[in-house]
Amino acid sequence: MSMPSLITLHNGAKVPGTFSKQEMDNRIKRLRSYMIENGIDTVLFTSYHNINYYSDFLYCAFGRSYGLVVTEQDHSTISANIDGGQPWRRSVGDNITYTDWQRDNFFSAVKKLIKNGSTVGIEYDHINLQNKGKLETALPDSTFVDIAIPTMRMRMVKSTEEIAHITEMAKIADIGGAACVEAMAVGVAEHEVALHSTQAMVREIARRFPHAELMDTWTWFQSGLNTDGAHNPVTSRRIEHGDILSLNCFPMVAGYYVALERTLFAEECTNRHLQLWEINCKVHAEGINLIKPGMRCCDIARALNEIYEEYDLLRYRTFGYGHSFGVLSHYYGREAGLELREDIDTVLQSNMVISMEPMIMIPQHQPGAGGYREHDILVVTEDGNKNITGFPFGPEHNIVKKGT
């Protein structure tokens, strides 16, 4: 029996999209305008973030390839048969499905959708060497150009609908933070606090976004030594009296990640811990004040460095002061052109969405040891910013006293 390499699997009806048809049409229109201006006939996206941004479909790779092909007229995702009709239901355009019956059927779909000899935009920061070679074999007469950086810059400025979506999710992160505080106490394990927070956020997502897929929301709750890294996983360590704590809540809806991060203490903190915490909060507050149109990312970073230098703490800073928010996650995507670092000269403009998240890490066996980090999400406005994070920060609010 001869089995097909490609099939059409329009199983069921389209699901109500995350954004309006007008919003998605505007994204594709901007992309196509760039294609025309730069002589690009077709774009083949392979990354999570761009496929999601331009189609509203977020794939689950599991070792398989996925794509989105955009031409002057057509718009089609490429998905694996293992996903059934879900990619069709979740994407705003057409869909073609490849099977596992023959090897590299993904590239059979590419050949069907892309004319050999055309100029094709691909993401140089995502496609690997093996697949780049297979793509060149499938389309031997085509010319390939990078589309990753131009599309990143398109994503950096958010639409009104995106900002509304991110704002709703920031409210959900605040709910996760409150759940963390509700669950934390001396003797409680990190994972139990994290589970309670994540469950609260998932339930709220289901309530606010009834058509959304419930996936990827998570919490990192760290205590003691585990606070030294911003991305340290949850463990089963139990909270001890006087511990420094890090609350990190990350709701995810339709590929859009937001974050709430706070420093807390269990019952009490030492004088040195309090001093370091207050300095980091000072940097955080000043950083929020600096977020406004016309400011360069690098200048904000250098200004905040001066505060740390005043207290001889700059050597303990662990990463940049903030980054863009939108379509990104812990396993994909990043708008690297909008980060508050010394090597980024991007100028802030209205409708960018960026975090302020200073962190210092004092090594073990030093007074005040631990990681200190605060994190708010800010929407750049015409004359400043709007802070969409509501959870309070600082010693006045986050020394959690529950007794033993």
Side-chain angles (χ1 to χ4, degrees):
M1 181 178 178
S2 177
M3 302 300 289
S5 58
L6 303 174
I7 59 175
T8 298
L9 193 52
H10 294 178
N11 191 38
K14 293 282 192 181
V15 176
T18 308
F19 301 102
S20 70
K21 181 179 184 301
Q22 185 64 54
E23 166 72 14
M24 300 306 293
D25 286 348
N26 287 343
R27 296 182 186 186
I28 297 297
K29 183 179 179 180
R30 288 195 301 272
L31 174 63
R32 285 177 171 150
S33 294
Y34 180 87
M35 292 165 63
I36 291 169
E37 291 169 4
N38 291 273
I40 300 172
D41 303 303
T42 305
V43 167
L44 170 62
F45 291 120
T46 53
S47 68
Y48 291 95
H49 42 280
N50 271 328
I51 292 175
N52 178 249
Y53 184 79
Y54 289 105
S55 77
D56 202 23
F57 164 56
L58 184 61
Y59 67 79
C60 176
F62 255 115
R64 291 178 169 87
S65 296
Y66 288 75
L68 169 63
V69 174
V70 180
T71 66
E72 185 178 350
Q73 300 294 333
D74 298 320
H75 178 284
S76 180
T77 49
I78 303 173
S79 61
N81 194 27
I82 194 171
D83 293 325
Q86 181 254 6
W88 152 254
R89 294 192 296 272
R90 289 284 169 181
S91 57
V92 299
D94 203 353
N95 170 264
I96 187 170
T97 299
Y98 70 91
T99 72
D100 285 349
W101 295 113
Q102 298 85 24
R103 185 177 296 278
D104 288 335
N105 279 342
F106 172 80
F107 295 97
S108 297
V110 168
K111 290 170 68 175
K112 182 178 179 65
L113 295 175
I114 300 177
K115 181 181 177 181
N116 186 29
S118 58
T119 299
V120 183
I122 61 175
E123 298 162 278
Y124 281 18
D125 64 353
H126 184 267
I127 195 165
N128 59 42
L129 285 173
Q130 183 182 62
N131 283 345
K132 175 71 162 23
K134 291 179 179 181
L135 185 59
E136 291 168 339
T137 299
L139 303 170
D141 300 321
S142 292
T143 300
F144 300 98
V145 297
D146 184 30
I147 196 72
I149 293 176
T151 52
M152 175 194 71
R153 297 199 178 280
M154 293 178 207
R155 299 195 316 272
M156 277 166 37
V157 179
K158 313 305 178 191
S159 69
T160 300
E161 287 192 27
E162 281 185 286
I163 291 171
H165 182 78
I166 294 168
T167 300
E168 279 296 293
M169 292 173 56
K171 295 175 183 176
I172 295 170
D174 288 340
I175 289 170
C180 274
V181 173
E182 181 179 61
M184 69 176 65
V186 171
V188 176
E190 291 177 3
H191 71 279
E192 293 293 348
V193 177
L195 285 170
H196 186 65
S197 170
T198 300
Q199 287 176 346
M201 290 190 289
V202 170
R203 290 185 176 117
E204 187 64 17
I205 290 168
R207 188 183 73 81
R208 294 189 187 218
F209 300 92
H211 300 294
E213 295 173 322
L214 302 176
M215 56 186 288
D216 295 334
T217 292
W218 84 106
T219 302
W220 283 325
F221 179 77
Q222 303 140 348
S223 64
L225 177 62
N226 294 336
T227 65
D228 67 345
H231 298 162
N232 290 354
V234 169
T235 75
S236 58
R237 182 186 184 275
R238 295 183 180 275
I239 299 171
E240 298 177 5
H241 185 95
D243 265 349
I244 186 171
L245 309 169
S246 284
L247 171 161
N248 309 269
C249 298
F250 307 110
M252 288 277 292
V253 178
Y256 281 73
Y257 144 109
V258 302
L260 167 68
E261 300 172 14
R262 289 290 184 260
T263 301
L264 307 98
F265 279 82
E267 301 294 336
E268 63 179 358
C269 64
T270 68
N271 288 337
R272 181 55 176 164
H273 278 107
L274 182 61
Q275 181 185 38
L276 291 165
W277 191 7
E278 289 177 336
I279 292 169
N280 205 53
C281 288
K282 179 180 179 179
V283 173
H284 183 58
E286 178 59 21
I288 290 172
N289 290 334
L290 291 172
I291 301 293
K292 53 190 171 185
M295 291 292 290
R296 294 195 307 168
C297 292
C298 55
D299 293 335
I300 294 171
R302 293 183 182 114
L304 297 180
N305 283 347
E306 291 179 4
I307 301 176
Y308 280 139
E309 284 184 313
E310 178 185 348
Y311 296 98
D312 192 28
L313 292 173
L314 186 58
R315 55 189 162 145
Y316 297 120
R317 197 192 106 190
T318 61
F319 55 85
Y321 289 101
H323 59 81
S324 181
F325 272 78
V327 179
L328 74 153
S329 172
H330 56 312
Y331 62 89
Y332 66 84
R334 193 172 185 88
E335 292 161 13
L338 187 53
E339 297 195 14
L340 300 178
R341 300 180 1 170
E342 295 83 348
D343 59 337
I344 304 294
D345 60 4
T346 300
V347 178
L348 298 185
Q349 58 180 287
S350 295
N351 290 352
M352 288 180 169
V353 181
I354 193 166
S355 62
M356 174 50 57
E357 49 178 312
M359 178 177 177
I360 52 174
M361 191 281 286
I362 310 301
Q364 280 294 92
H365 310 304
Q366 290 191 28
Y372 302 77
R373 186 172 66 263
E374 312 297 340
H375 182 297
D376 286 29
I377 300 176
L378 311 160
V379 179
V380 183
T381 60
E382 291 185 0
D383 57 359
N385 70 69
K386 179 180 180 182
N387 191 336
I388 60 173
T389 297
F391 197 94
F393 69 91
E396 181 181 352
H397 306 284
N398 292 330
I399 298 176
V400 181
K401 297 183 178 181
K402 293 186 176 180
T404 55

